[in-house]
Amino acid sequence: MVIQRCVVALAALALAACTDFVGGPTPTVTPSQAPFGGMELISEGPVLRASDLGDYGAVLPSAYFMADGVQHAYLVGFGDARGDQRVFHATSPDGLAWTVDEADPFANLGLDLSPPGPVSGSVLQADDGTWLMYLWGVPSPGQFGAVIYRATADSPAGPWVADPEPVLGLGERGAWDDLGVDFPAVGRTDDGFVMIYGASNSADRETSSIGVATSPDGVTWTKDPANPVISADHCGDPDARYAAGARLLQPENNPMLLLFDVGREIRIGISSDAREWTCASADPILTADDVPGSEGIHTIAATLVEGEALVLVESLVEGGSELWLARAWQAEA
């Protein structure tokens, strides 16, 4: 299960999530202060365990968002065997107490994907009232080569139906993203949509970086020529081998915020254009030491609730994982 879980986190691409590394390039970005000064747990214990989904050992928070005053999450439950996984939809009034739907929101998704199957990244509402989801997966029967799809539904709870073709594919051979793309974090802009995504390349499968793409309609996407916009050493850690699992937040009348994983430690960056990202500080804002009993932070999902950033944190524990709730707070002037 541990190997499968690491594969899920980085789309079977950045195996650095499962190994300790040394060495690396010299950092190129000088950190500075960001709108949020740090992160702390606000739950006294796990808010969701894998057993809350059924006979599963690990639970991954794949999407976290608000709809009509209700908090929604998409979760992936993982069993012991490869391929033993399922997506669940859950709701909560406060992020602390969750109700898991019995219905399978992906029962009619219409995609043939290899394990770990479909993993959602972002959910948002279209102008016409329908709901949009951006998710990733590896087309069957491949083991590598994750791509990003778009799906639609009449409700934030689904059921979801995917477009048959991916909206963001692999880069050309030799490109920084030629092995796979994953974890789409999608937001709105004055010109349409922006997508932050993770990717890995075939030249070094033990590394991954973060890029950006834009779209006028959410369907046709163009990768930015400046990619990658965040590399492993972006926040000043010369030993880091990967940056992954980005989550995009757009506070009203403030720069964009990006929470992402570097070596199982959570970093945060700010940007006004999604292309140039400045790190919040030289230190991570959340580590395993901040979570009781944690053996490592695996994945996060984040949303804004009345201007406050809430974060579901997947903590590795005893061969499985559980979810805690944290918040990021605003730095003092």
Side-chain angles (χ1 to χ4, degrees):
M1 183 189 298
V2 172
I3 293 176
Q4 175 173 278
R5 193 168 57 250
C6 291
V7 166
V8 171
L10 300 176
L13 309 175
L15 301 183
C18 304
T19 312
D20 293 327
F21 292 91
V22 295
T26 302
T28 57
V29 176
T30 301
S32 66
Q33 186 171 333
F36 288 97
M39 189 183 296
E40 65 181 2
L41 296 180
I42 58 176
S43 61
E44 296 181 354
V47 297
L48 275 165
R49 291 183 169 87
S51 58
D52 295 330
L53 308 180
D55 189 17
Y56 298 98
V59 51
L60 182 148
S62 60
Y64 189 17
F65 62 100
M66 291 290 296
D68 297 326
V70 176
Q71 297 184 32
H72 294 253
Y74 277 90
L75 314 165
V76 186
F78 293 93
D80 292 331
R82 184 176 186 269
D84 181 10
Q85 74 270 321
R86 208 202 103 178
V87 175
F88 294 84
H89 169 258
T91 55
S92 173
D94 54 11
L96 297 170
W98 289 88
T99 300
V100 179
D101 293 347
E102 294 183 2
D104 183 353
F106 282 0
N108 301 320
L109 191 64
L111 297 176
D112 184 14
L113 302 175
S114 298
V119 181
S120 55
S122 287
V123 178
L124 60 162
Q125 193 168 23
D127 292 336
D128 63 1
T130 60
W131 288 85
L132 306 175
M133 176 184 286
Y134 293 88
L135 61 144
W136 61 269
V138 179
S140 181
Q143 293 185 344
F144 298 97
V147 292
I148 293 171
Y149 295 89
R150 171 183 176 272
T152 57
D154 292 331
S155 163
W160 296 91
V161 177
D163 298 342
E165 299 297 325
V167 295
L168 199 76
L170 305 179
E172 296 182 0
R173 186 172 179 82
W176 73 282
D177 59 352
D178 70 347
L179 188 61
V181 295
D182 62 15
F183 282 96
V186 178
R188 292 183 176 275
T189 67
D190 293 339
D191 300 320
F193 297 84
V194 62
M195 177 191 294
I196 311 296
Y197 65 98
S200 192
N201 68 84
S202 56
D204 188 351
R205 297 186 180 189
E206 295 176 346
T207 65
S208 65
S209 304
I210 293 171
V212 62
T214 56
S215 172
D217 56 9
V219 178
T220 302
W221 291 85
T222 301
K223 296 178 181 179
D224 196 275
N227 282 336
V229 295
I230 295 178
S231 297
D233 65 337
H234 191 87
C235 289
D237 183 355
D239 296 333
R241 294 301 302 274
Y242 70 89
R247 303 296 186 167
L248 180 66
L249 298 175
Q250 295 177 288
E252 189 175 357
N253 300 321
N254 283 292
M256 289 179 280
L257 303 176
L258 194 71
L259 283 70
F260 56 99
D261 170 21
V262 177
R264 290 189 181 172
E265 297 180 336
I266 305 306
R267 305 276 183 166
I268 188 169
I270 63 171
S271 177
S272 60
D273 62 4
R275 293 174 176 84
E276 295 187 7
W277 291 92
T278 301
C279 296
S281 71
D283 299 317
I285 61 172
L286 193 73
T287 72
D289 291 340
D290 300 315
V291 185
S294 180
E295 299 175 0
I297 294 174
H298 185 244
T299 312
I300 62 168
T303 190
L304 289 172
V305 180
E306 297 180 350
E308 182 177 58
L310 295 184
V311 185
L312 287 173
V313 179
E314 182 190 6
S315 171
L316 304 181
V317 56
E318 298 178 356
S321 67
E322 58 192 18
L323 303 187
W324 293 66
L325 185 67
R327 72 177 180 92
W329 70 85
Q330 191 166 357
E332 296 182 0

